Amino acid sequence: MKLLVIGNGAREHALCRSLSLDPAVTALHCAPGNAGIAEVAELHAVDALDGAAVAALARELEADLVVVGPEAPLVAGVADAVRAIGIPVFGPSGAAAQLEGSKAFAKDVMAGAGVPTARSYVCTTPAEIDEALDAFGAPYVVKDDGLAAGKGVVVTEDIEAARAHANACERVVIEEFLDGPEVSLFAITDGETVVPLQPAQDFKRALDGDEGPNTGGMGAYSPLPWADPKLVQEVLDTVLQPTVDEMKKRGTPFSGLLYAGLAITSRGVRVIEFNARFGDPETQVVLARLQTPLAGVLLASANGTLADLEPLRWSDDAAVTVVIASHNYPATPRTGDPITGLDEVAAQDAPNAYVLHAGTKRDEQSGQVVSAGGRVLSVTATGTDLTQARERAYTALARIGLDGSQHRTDIAAKAADES
């Protein structure tokens, strides 16, 4: 199989890494990619939001499957453009990707499917915003209706901060606060059959102890030793399958990766949000544990043959990923700083620990890998348990140099202590 992966982050590096290890994959391409992905795939320059350009590249490469990584190209309909020329795509149509593209649309689908979620109001005026904030009280949960790269949600006790965020959005969803731990559960679907992956937990706040501003995610781990063994089946029955069935009923069948962000509340499982693609950084730990070759699973989703697949095989090992972010992230990050230590990790820590690139590029003059975004690297490690996986991840991370960089020191610490 010849594959083309669209995107340039750590999620795409994780996908490319897994695909490069799949014996069925004979050629692997990525557009636009990054400095790390260049080690496992051939890179191509493309505007990931330009469906016609992506389709033309897929045709030129004679790709057997296109995997669209990020949400913005999916919402922009890039998968539709590739499907239109007869090439299979892993990823939903533009219409189906509205599950992530619009919080209000997702709430409407959940209502139709009977999926448990937080009570909410959709607001477009200051008066509606004040009424909703007053109805729910603190802590306030305010979500930009549209795509905001993981930074559109504010959870705060400060009503002025909540009001300011809400008024800065064209349309906003204000909802009740959900108590309890959060879980990310991915499922691969072809529009009918739903195959859940292993659950993971990510860490959204910038600083240790879940302090600081919200980010795109500072680390993740899998499995979840504290979770009910029946959790995956329960979420499949009450959330994932009903949502896929509802989307089909509406004439916008959803195929690709359906990501449920969940709160395990005192009243049961509730959906916080849906995403229409693999989550970052959870993908890094979930794929680290997947033993079934990935390409065939993604192709079965694109071809509508998931029901024919054998059950997925998983490693009993634990996986932990720690994000190294650039100076000033999640505000405007500093870029262009040289990164050192990548070769040392490859020489001394592989295969138990490795580095997945997110915001990196190779400096054309010096030939050095430099930072090129807010989240720069995902240091990922596996071990017999979370304690060993954590130790390996942080040992590898200590070899990496990036001036002014930041990372959390407590990723998976509580779960490791409890397991």
Side-chain angles (χ1 to χ4, degrees), residues 132-142 155-160 162 174-178:
L133 292 172
D134 187 50
F136 288 129
Y140 304 100
V141 181
V142 183
V155 181
T156 180
E157 298 278 348
D158 181 345
I159 191 164
E160 290 308 323
I174 296 173
E175 62 184 40
E176 67 176 328
F177 176 78
L178 296 174

Side-chain angles (χ1 to χ4, degrees), residues 233-283:
Q233 189 63 48
E234 180 190 344
V235 175
L236 177 63
D237 293 342
T238 62
V239 174
L240 298 167
Q241 192 70 56
T243 299
V244 168
D245 292 346
E246 175 72 12
M247 291 294 283
K248 185 183 175 189
K249 194 171 91 182
R250 289 173 176 233
T252 49
F254 187 103
S255 75
L257 195 291
L258 179 59
Y259 165 141
L262 309 163
I264 313 301
T265 76
S266 51
R267 293 172 296 146
V269 173
R270 297 288 185 273
V271 175
I272 300 168
E273 64 175 355
F274 283 129
N275 289 336
R277 39 74 196 180
F278 279 103
D280 180 347
E282 301 98 318
T283 303

Side-chain angles (χ1 to χ4, degrees), residues 183-380:
V183 174
S184 300
L185 186 62
F186 303 161
I188 291 174
T189 178
D190 57 10
E192 291 189 11
T193 302
V194 181
V195 178
L197 306 185
Q198 289 289 306
Q201 186 174 52
D202 77 332
F203 295 77
K204 287 278 185 235
R205 299 284 183 172
L207 307 175
D208 283 8
D210 292 327
E211 299 287 330
N214 244 2
T215 71
M218 295 300 290
Y221 69 95
S222 177
L224 312 181
W226 50 268
D228 187 325
K230 299 190 285 290
L231 175 67
V232 172
Q233 189 63 48
E234 180 190 344
V235 175
L236 177 63
D237 293 342
T238 62
V239 174
L240 298 167
Q241 192 70 56
T243 299
V244 168
D245 292 346
E246 175 72 12
M247 291 294 283
K248 185 183 175 189
K249 194 171 91 182
R250 289 173 176 233
T252 49
F254 187 103
S255 75
L257 195 291
L258 179 59
Y259 165 141
L262 309 163
I264 313 301
T265 76
S266 51
R267 293 172 296 146
V269 173
R270 297 288 185 273
V271 175
I272 300 168
E273 64 175 355
F274 283 129
N275 289 336
R277 39 74 196 180
F278 279 103
D280 180 347
E282 301 98 318
T283 303
Q284 289 86 303
V285 291
V286 173
L287 292 185
R289 299 185 57 224
L290 179 65
Q291 292 183 323
T292 301
L294 183 61
V297 182
L298 303 186
L299 185 62
S301 162
N303 286 341
T305 57
L306 271 180
D308 303 335
L309 275 194
E310 292 188 6
L312 299 180
R313 300 191 312 279
W314 296 93
S315 166
D316 291 331
D317 281 358
V320 171
T321 196
V322 183
V323 170
I324 298 177
S326 53
H327 178 73
N328 205 37
Y329 178 78
T332 306
R334 192 172 83 202
T335 59
D337 288 313
I339 300 166
T340 60
L342 296 173
D343 292 342
E344 285 83 344
V345 174
Q348 299 185 53
D349 302 289
N352 298 315
Y354 48 88
V355 179
L356 297 167
H357 292 232
T360 71
K361 67 176 184 180
R362 195 168 288 280
D363 184 270
E364 288 179 10
Q365 288 175 316
S366 69
Q368 210 170 2
V369 176
V370 299
S371 61
R375 292 187 295 172
V376 181
L377 302 168
S378 287
V379 182
T380 303

